[in-house]
C-alpha cells in the first residue's frame, strides 16, 4: 500500500458509515466531525497523551473548542467511575447534542469513549480512531460500546455506531508486540468464522504476521474488518447472526474477569477459541483437523492455548452472566466446520468439562 491509498469499507444499517484504512488519515477527521459541532472532546489513554494533545491542538486550530480527556490505559478505563469523569468533563465544557466525541486508542478506550457518547444527552455523534490491531479490526467497528462492572465484562453498554472509523496503520508502529499479537486473536477469529484466507495468510508466515511491517498487514486488517462489517450491517443489535462474533468469548470473558483484567482480551479469547473448538469437536460438530488447526495457528503467532485447570468452577460461574445466556441456559458459538459458525445451547456439563480438560494447564 502506498502512502496515499485509502481503503473504504462500508458498514450498513440504519446509520451507515465507513471504515477507512490507510495512512495519514487525520485529514478525514474534520468531515466526520461535521459542520454542526462547536465542541469536540478527544478521549485518549495515558499511553497516547501526546497523540491526544496533538489532535486536540489541531482541532483547536480548525476552530473547534477542543478538549482532551485522558483516561487510564487498557481495561482500567472501562469503569463507571471513568465514564462519570468523562461526563463531568463534557458537562463542564458545555457539550451539547451537536458536539462530537472522538475516541483515540485501543479497544478499551474506544469502548468507553463510545459509551460516553452513547449516554451523554442520550446520544451524541462520535468518531473512532483505533490505534491497536484489535480496535481496528473489531472494537471500533459495529457500535458495541460499554464498560465492565464488578460482576463481569461489558455488562453495561449501548449499541451506538460511530459516524466513521479511521484506521491509520502508522499507529501500529508504537504498539508493543504483546498487544499487537493479542489483536491477532480477533483476526484469527474472523478467519475461523468467515474468511479462511486470513488463516492461510498467517500460516504462510506467522512471524511476519506478528509485526506491522509484515507483507500482509493491511490485507489481514482489511479482511477482518470486512467480516465484522458484513455481520454488523445486518444485525446491529445482536438479534441473531451477530452472535458469531462472540466465538471464543464465553470462556474468554470469564478468564478476563478471573484475572481481574490483567490478561489482554485477545489472549483470553485465544484460550476461549481453543476451548470452543474442543467443545465443537467433542459435541460431534467439528472435525479434528479444524480443531487442531486452531492449536497450530494460535500457537504459531504466540497466543496462549491453556488456562489453570483448578479454576473451572469459577469460570463456569462467570460464564453464567454471558450476554448469550438465556435464563439458566449457557449458549456457545461453535463451528460445524471451517467458516460455519453456529450456536450450541445447553451442552452436557460433562462435555463442557471434557472440553475444558483439553485447554487446562
Ligand atoms: N466493542 C467491541 O465490539 C469490541 C470488540 C473487541 C474487543 N473489545 C474490547 O477491546 C478491549 C481490548 O482492546 P485492545 O486489545 O486494543 O487493548 P487496550 O485498549 O487495552 O490497549 C492495550 C494497551 O495499548 C495501549 N495503546 C493503544 N494504542 C497504542 C499505540 N498505538 N501505541 C502504544 N500503545 C498503545 C493502550 O493504552 C493500552 O495500554 C477490551 O476491553 C475488549 O473487551 C470491544
Ligand atoms: O461485536 C461483537 O458483537 C462481538 O462480539 C465482538 C467481540 O470481539 C467483542 O469482544 C465484544 O465486545 C464482545 O461483546 P459482548 O456482547 O460479549 O460483551
Ligand atoms: Zn472480542
Amino acid at each position: 500500500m502506498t502512502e496515499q491509498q485509502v481503503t473504504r469499507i462500508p458498514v450498513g444499517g440504519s446509520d451507515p458509515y465507513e471504515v477507512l484504512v490507510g495512512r495519514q488519515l487525520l485529514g478525514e477527521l474534520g468531515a466526520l466531525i461535521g459542520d454542526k459541532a462547536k465542541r469536540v472532546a478527544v478521549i485518549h489513554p495515558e499511553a497516547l497523551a501526546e497523540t491526544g494533545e496533538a489532535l486536540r491542538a489541531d482541532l483547536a486550530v480548525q476552530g473547534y473548542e477542543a478538549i482532551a480527556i485522558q483516561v487510564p490505559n487498557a481495561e482500567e478505563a472501562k469503569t463507571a467511575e471513568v465514564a462519570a469523569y468523562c461526563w463531568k468533563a463534557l458537562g463542564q465544557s458545555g457539550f451539547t447534542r451537536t458536539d462530537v466525541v472522538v475516541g483515540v486508542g485501543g479497544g478499551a478506550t474506544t469502548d468507553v469513549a463510545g459509551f460516553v457518547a452513547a449516554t451523554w444527552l442520550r446520544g451524541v455523534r462520535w468518531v473512532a480512531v483505533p490505534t491497536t490491531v484489535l480496535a481496528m479490526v473489531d472494537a471500533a467497528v459495529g457500535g458495541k460500546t460499554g464498560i465492565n462492572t464488578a460482576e463481569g465484562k461489558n455488562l453495561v453498554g449501548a449499541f451506538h455506531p460511530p459516524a466513521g472509523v479511521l484506521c491509520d496503520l502508522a499507529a501500529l508502529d508504537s504498539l508493543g508486540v504483546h498487544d499487537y499479537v493479542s489483536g491477532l486473536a480477533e483476526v484469527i477469529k474472523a478467519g475461523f468464522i468467515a474468511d479462511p484466507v486470513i488463516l492461510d495468510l498467517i500460516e504462510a508466515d506467522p512471524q511476519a504476521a506478528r509485526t506491522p511491517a509484515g507483507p500482509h498487514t493491511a490485507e489481514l486488517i482489511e479482511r477482518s474488518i470486512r467480516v465484522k462489517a458484513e455481520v454488523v450491517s445486518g444485525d446491529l443489535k445482536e438479534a441473531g447472526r451477530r452472535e458469531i462474533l462472540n466465538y471464543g468469548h464465553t470462556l474468554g470473558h470469564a478468564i478476563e474477569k478471573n484475572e481481574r483484567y490483567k490478561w489482554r482480551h485477545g489472549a483470553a479469547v485465544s484460550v476461549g477459541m481453543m476451548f470452543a473448538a474442543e467443545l465443537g469437536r467433542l459435541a460431534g460438530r467439528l472435525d479434528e483437523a479444524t480443531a487442531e488447526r486452531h492449536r497450530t495457528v494460535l500457537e504459531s503467532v504466540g497466543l496462549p492455548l491453556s488456562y489453570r485447570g483448578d479454576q473451572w468452577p469459577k469460570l463456569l460461574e462467570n460464564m453464567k452472566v454471558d450476554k448469550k445466556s438465556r435464563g439458566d441456559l449457557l449458549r456457545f458459538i461453535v463451528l460445524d466446520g471451517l467458516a460455519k459458525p453456529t450456536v450450541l445451547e445447553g451442552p452436557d456439563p460433562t462435555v463442557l468439562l471434557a472440553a475444558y480438560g483439553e485447554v487446562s494447564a
Side-chain angles (χ1 to χ4, degrees):
M1 174 181 288
T2 65
E3 296 273 291
Q4 279 72 36
Q5 271 179 327
V6 177
T7 302
R8 293 175 179 267
I9 301 171
V11 185
S14 55
D15 297 304
Y17 56 96
E18 284 183 327
V19 182
L20 274 59
V21 185
R23 286 172 189 271
Q24 297 171 356
L25 295 179
L26 289 180
E28 305 275 346
L29 189 55
L32 289 174
I33 289 171
D35 51 16
K36 294 199 185 90
K38 182 172 182 209
R39 300 175 188 86
V40 180
V42 178
I43 299 183
H44 66 83
E46 262 175 63
L48 298 182
E50 272 181 35
T51 309
E53 175 49 27
L55 209 48
R56 187 209 62 75
D58 194 49
L59 291 166
V61 168
Q62 291 177 44
Y64 297 107
E65 280 177 27
I67 59 166
I69 306 177
Q70 178 165 300
V71 296
N73 286 324
E75 217 62 24
E76 278 179 36
K78 286 179 61 170
T79 66
E81 290 73 21
V82 171
Y85 171 78
C86 296
W87 292 325
K88 187 171 184 176
L90 297 185
Q92 289 179 345
S93 76
F95 220 73
T96 71
R97 277 196 168 152
T98 44
D99 297 329
V100 176
V101 169
V102 177
V104 188
T109 309
T110 55
D111 272 11
V112 73
F115 179 66
V116 167
T119 45
W120 183 252
L121 305 182
R122 301 199 183 96
V124 297
R125 189 176 175 90
W126 78 289
V127 178
V129 184
T131 60
T132 63
V133 174
L134 190 142
M136 290 182 189
V137 302
D138 202 339
V141 184
K144 263 192 186 177
T145 72
I147 56 174
N148 307 324
T149 78
E151 288 69 35
K153 177 93 182 173
N154 298 340
L155 292 185
V156 175
F159 293 101
H160 188 58
V165 182
L166 299 179
C167 302
D168 192 329
L169 298 174
L172 301 178
D173 293 340
S174 59
L175 199 58
V177 68
H178 179 67
D179 281 317
Y180 195 93
V181 167
S182 162
L184 293 179
E186 303 277 23
V187 173
I188 290 170
K189 175 191 81 178
F192 276 112
I193 62 171
D195 181 3
V197 172
I198 288 175
L199 304 177
D200 299 339
L201 288 171
I202 294 177
E203 285 164 344
D205 191 348
Q207 287 313 309
R210 286 167 53 90
T211 116
H216 304 303
T217 300
E219 183 172 358
L220 287 169
I221 288 175
E222 288 173 21
R223 281 183 175 274
S224 308
I225 294 171
R226 284 185 204 282
V227 169
K228 178 129 195 195
E230 186 275 318
V231 174
V232 301
S233 292
D235 182 18
L236 172 68
K237 294 200 174 168
E238 205 168 34
R241 185 166 143 76
R242 184 169 182 160
E243 287 191 333
I244 69 172
L245 298 172
N246 231 248
Y247 187 54
H249 283 62
T250 323
L251 185 72
H253 280 170
I255 292 174
E256 282 187 85
K257 184 187 171 211
N258 205 47
E259 288 295 322
R260 296 169 201 265
Y261 303 106
K262 296 301 172 219
W263 271 44
R264 284 289 187 253
H265 177 71
V269 168
S270 173
V271 179
M273 280 193 285
M274 199 58 239
F275 170 75
E278 292 298 342
L279 185 59
R281 183 180 68 82
L282 292 168
R285 312 284 277 263
L286 186 63
D287 59 281
E288 276 193 26
T290 309
E292 183 56 24
R293 197 174 181 187
H294 284 68
R295 189 177 304 283
T296 51
V297 71
L298 292 166
E299 192 169 39
S300 74
V301 295
L303 282 162
L305 303 172
S306 60
Y307 190 65
R308 293 163 54 193
D310 61 348
Q311 298 299 296
W312 178 241
K314 284 191 198 161
L315 298 176
L316 200 51
E317 204 49 38
N318 290 354
M319 288 196 292
K320 289 183 183 161
V321 293
D322 180 74
K323 283 174 231 70
K324 297 184 300 307
S325 296
R326 299 289 180 266
D328 290 335
L329 193 69
L330 281 180
R331 297 168 67 250
F332 294 83
I333 305 304
V334 295
L335 301 181
D336 273 340
L338 190 56
K340 289 186 182 147
T342 183
V343 178
L344 179 66
E345 291 200 337
D348 189 315
T350 58
V351 177
L352 271 181
L353 184 60
Y356 191 66
E358 298 292 331
V359 299
S360 289

